[in-house]
Amino acid sequence: MISDEVTDAVPLVYDDSVDMPVLFRDGPAKRPFKQWRTAKHRAWTTPGAFPDKDGWYAPTTTWREIVKAATEVGRDVTPWLHQAPQLARGELVARVSPLYAYLGIHDVTPKHPLPHTSGRRLTVNAVYEHGTERSAKSMLGYRLGMTMAEWACRSLMGLGQTWHIEDGGPVPALESAFKDPVRTLPDLWGLHEAENTYWLIEAKGGNVRKNRLTEGWEQLEEGTKVLHAYAHRRILCGASVQPQGDLFVTIDHDHHPGQPTLPVNGKSTPAPSSPEDHLGESDDALLATARAQMLIYLALRSAPPSRLRTVALTADRSTRRRPVDGLTTPLERDPITRDMRAAVRAEAPSEDEQARRSITRAIGLDDFLTYRIPGTELHLGMSRRLFAACDQLHYEDQAIATRTPGLRAEDQRIADEPADEEAEEQRRRTQRRVFREAQEQERELIQERLRDAYVDGGDRQWRDLLPGQAEPRLDLDDQPDLLEAATPETYLALRRDDLPHHRR
């Protein structure tokens, strides 16, 4: 008989694949010393769902998937970037650079190996281990904690879009309690479509010990006091990394029964777990996706025209629906796109740009706008339909920001003495609350305009959408060193030689 541990799953062979030890348990406990290497891990057999058993698991993911999580999680800073969109590039660098600076990849032979794993795990590199100051380690800890919480909840367990809880939480009637500055609340919340349950999420990262996890659990308990009447799951994600060890994730959790989630704007259907799969029929999904991609939109919008390019992806979005092991589809899995690109290259010479554009659309390819973020080798981009929707949302937000006193950076006045940091934080939170409340008041009108922009965007040229009215070069070159990935409406790529240092 064949052992139950042998599966017919296709082995993952991507250059950036890594195995991620994840421990599920009922509450904070001591750090599981060495168990990330010595415990008998289960294969991850519940993609897009919460597992039915606690214990160690060893799912395999890609560095691309982790980087995507890093670019999208965290406080939304776009209200301050309307007059200086080029600063979005710096924010993206800040979100990914600590991971590149201090993480590495090493080969691992666990005590109880699983089939079809990559045999590689993330760890800290020599710079972090021997030469990094405590404050810099704290910076990595924060960014790592947020990134891995986003990855675990969304890519691994199928949670929908995550939001900062300080923006008001999941229940409108409880907004004032979630925005109460006196409460110490968890970081994020989201809605899981399959469970139809709210998730409250607290992220911890770095050299995570029990005392820090206990603090995080207390923050979740405070969130439960606000949300107690509604069914919700508490998730405490600890991303722990230390010298001579693997990066591993602990998921401390419990589930609270209660009332079902509220309808979204009068609709009984919960928000989709992968909003991009539903942009055609859901205005809520379109708004959520545009909001989540605003930082990347601003980076694209403010880029020098000569630095922009477009890449061809199949226009059939069904080939890039949510995969079983994450949000992104590596282009290595998409032979249709590769073959169609090759067909365009064969039919039209590279110097005939117009002919290539015409053939690209005629055979069923769509061109996504992309930009290499300065200071990184990370290429980010999106479709013209999503760009058009983001462009409209940017316009709507600008109008709201203009009416929000003191929100824009140019409206600030520098006092003679440095302001109290806590008082400044409360002032900024108040401004954000006023801004978000205005957005909600105009939500229906904004959604209607976004829908029109999204539909019209499919037929527009890039020169009509970009501020400089330039048509970016269409890049159809075969680049074996470029690791590409895409969702239905977004694009991400990085170079093989820009992966974290591989230590053997």
Side-chain angles (χ1 to χ4, degrees), residues 348-381:
S350 58
E351 59 270 15
D352 193 343
E353 182 81 4
Q354 190 55 46
R356 283 194 161 192
R357 292 184 191 282
S358 299
I359 297 171
T360 294
R361 284 210 168 188
I363 68 172
L365 287 169
D366 197 1
D367 55 335
F368 281 42
L369 184 69
T370 70
Y371 175 50
R372 183 182 66 79
I373 305 303
T376 74
E377 286 296 330
L378 183 63
H379 301 251
L380 298 174

Side-chain angles (χ1 to χ4, degrees), residues 51-278:
D52 56 2
K53 292 182 179 179
D54 282 346
W56 281 100
Y57 293 84
T60 299
T61 188
T62 65
W63 182 247
R64 280 168 282 186
E65 192 79 14
I66 293 172
V67 168
K68 182 172 179 61
T71 63
E72 295 182 3
V73 68
R75 171 182 278 183
D76 179 13
V77 300
T78 57
W80 281 272
L81 297 179
H82 291 300
Q83 303 303 318
Q86 66 274 12
L87 296 181
R89 309 172 211 165
E91 176 64 19
L92 288 166
V93 171
R95 294 186 180 196
V96 301
S97 61
L99 308 182
Y100 274 100
Y102 297 129
L103 294 183
I105 297 175
H106 65 161
D107 297 321
V108 169
T109 303
K111 186 176 181 179
H112 304 282
L114 288 170
H116 307 319
T117 53
S118 71
R120 296 188 298 271
R121 294 183 183 177
L122 291 171
T123 185
V124 289
N125 61 26
V127 174
Y128 179 98
E129 186 173 349
H130 300 293
T132 303
E133 298 176 5
R134 183 178 300 175
S135 56
K137 291 181 178 180
S138 297
M139 176 183 65
L140 172 65
Y142 168 76
R143 189 54 61 189
L144 185 66
M146 294 294 286
T147 297
M148 298 314 297
E150 179 84 351
W151 169 81
C153 292
R154 298 203 66 205
S155 296
L156 194 64
M157 295 185 286
L159 186 68
Q161 187 66 48
T162 59
W163 307 99
H164 245 270
I165 209 161
E166 68 179 36
D167 286 338
V171 179
L174 302 175
E175 279 188 5
S176 59
F178 279 115
K179 294 175 180 178
D180 185 354
V182 177
R183 292 180 179 273
T184 304
L185 295 168
D187 294 312
L188 307 167
W189 73 272
L191 176 60
H192 198 286
E193 178 184 21
E195 293 185 350
N196 194 21
T197 300
Y198 299 123
W199 285 19
L200 299 180
I201 307 157
E202 174 61 22
K204 300 295 182 185
N207 191 5
V208 183
R209 297 179 181 272
K210 185 181 178 181
N211 62 332
R212 291 193 62 208
L213 293 177
T214 300
E215 292 172 1
W217 198 252
E218 291 171 353
Q219 291 172 253
L220 287 165
E221 289 176 336
E222 191 69 20
T224 291
K225 292 178 183 178
V226 180
L227 197 59
H228 69 281
Y230 295 90
H232 64 278
R233 191 183 289 278
R234 297 195 298 204
I235 301 289
L236 174 59
C237 181
S240 188
V241 65
Q242 55 190 317
Q244 308 301 320
D246 308 333
L247 168 61
F248 66 94
V249 177
T250 56
I251 304 290
D252 301 314
H253 64 92
D254 65 4
H255 184 271
H256 286 255
Q259 301 175 27
T261 60
L262 295 178
V264 179
N265 293 329
K267 302 173 185 177
S268 59
T269 303
S273 58
S274 184
E276 288 182 51
D277 293 342
H278 301 265

Side-chain angles (χ1 to χ4, degrees), residues 226-498:
V226 180
L227 197 59
H228 69 281
Y230 295 90
H232 64 278
R233 191 183 289 278
R234 297 195 298 204
I235 301 289
L236 174 59
C237 181
S240 188
V241 65
Q242 55 190 317
Q244 308 301 320
D246 308 333
L247 168 61
F248 66 94
V249 177
T250 56
I251 304 290
D252 301 314
H253 64 92
D254 65 4
H255 184 271
H256 286 255
Q259 301 175 27
T261 60
L262 295 178
V264 179
N265 293 329
K267 302 173 185 177
S268 59
T269 303
S273 58
S274 184
E276 288 182 51
D277 293 342
H278 301 265
L279 298 190
E281 68 270 13
S282 171
D283 290 344
D284 294 313
L286 178 57
L287 178 58
T289 300
R291 178 69 62 203
Q293 298 301 320
M294 283 299 288
L295 197 62
I296 295 171
Y297 158 79
L298 291 172
L300 293 168
R301 185 179 186 273
S302 63
S306 61
R307 302 287 298 277
L308 294 170
R309 67 185 183 102
T310 60
V311 296
L313 299 172
T314 176
D316 180 5
R317 266 63 175 174
S318 65
T319 64
R320 298 192 299 277
R321 296 292 185 183
R322 178 188 170 96
V324 296
D325 54 358
L327 296 176
T328 63
T329 299
L331 265 291
E332 300 96 307
R333 293 186 194 173
D334 188 5
I336 297 176
T337 291
R338 296 202 307 271
D339 293 345
M340 294 172 79
R341 286 176 176 178
V344 177
R345 291 197 303 268
E347 192 163 341
S350 58
E351 59 270 15
D352 193 343
E353 182 81 4
Q354 190 55 46
R356 283 194 161 192
R357 292 184 191 282
S358 299
I359 297 171
T360 294
R361 284 210 168 188
I363 68 172
L365 287 169
D366 197 1
D367 55 335
F368 281 42
L369 184 69
T370 70
Y371 175 50
R372 183 182 66 79
I373 305 303
T376 74
E377 286 296 330
L378 183 63
H379 301 251
L380 298 174
M382 65 179 65
S383 71
R384 73 180 69 236
R385 295 190 306 186
L386 182 55
F387 187 93
C390 288
D391 194 51
Q392 184 66 42
L393 183 57
H394 176 62
Y395 174 82
E396 304 294 339
D397 282 353
Q398 276 187 311
I400 296 173
T402 301
R403 301 193 303 269
T404 305
L407 180 65
R408 300 177 304 172
E410 61 267 29
D411 294 334
Q412 306 300 315
R413 297 290 181 267
I414 300 177
D416 294 334
E417 296 293 332
D420 177 76
E421 184 175 348
E422 187 63 29
E424 282 295 293
E425 175 63 17
Q426 294 305 324
R427 180 183 60 79
R428 285 191 290 267
R429 290 185 65 170
T430 299
Q431 292 168 346
R432 287 173 58 81
R433 187 191 72 245
V434 174
F435 183 76
R436 294 300 185 215
E437 288 174 350
Q439 286 178 321
E440 284 303 310
Q441 289 172 2
E442 301 180 27
R443 183 186 182 97
E444 290 188 7
L445 178 60
I446 291 174
Q447 285 183 319
E448 181 180 335
R449 292 173 175 172
L450 257 62
R451 175 61 58 191
D452 291 341
Y454 177 78
V455 173
D456 294 342
D459 296 324
R460 300 178 69 183
Q461 302 296 321
W462 280 114
R463 61 175 173 268
D464 301 325
L465 294 168
L466 293 170
Q469 295 185 321
E471 191 71 25
R473 182 178 68 87
L474 176 60
D475 189 349
L476 291 165
D477 297 338
D478 187 18
Q479 303 183 61
D481 63 331
L482 194 65
L483 294 171
E484 299 177 279
T487 66
E489 304 293 339
T490 69
Y491 174 87
L492 179 148
L494 49 88
R495 297 193 176 279
R496 283 186 169 89
D497 58 7
D498 197 46

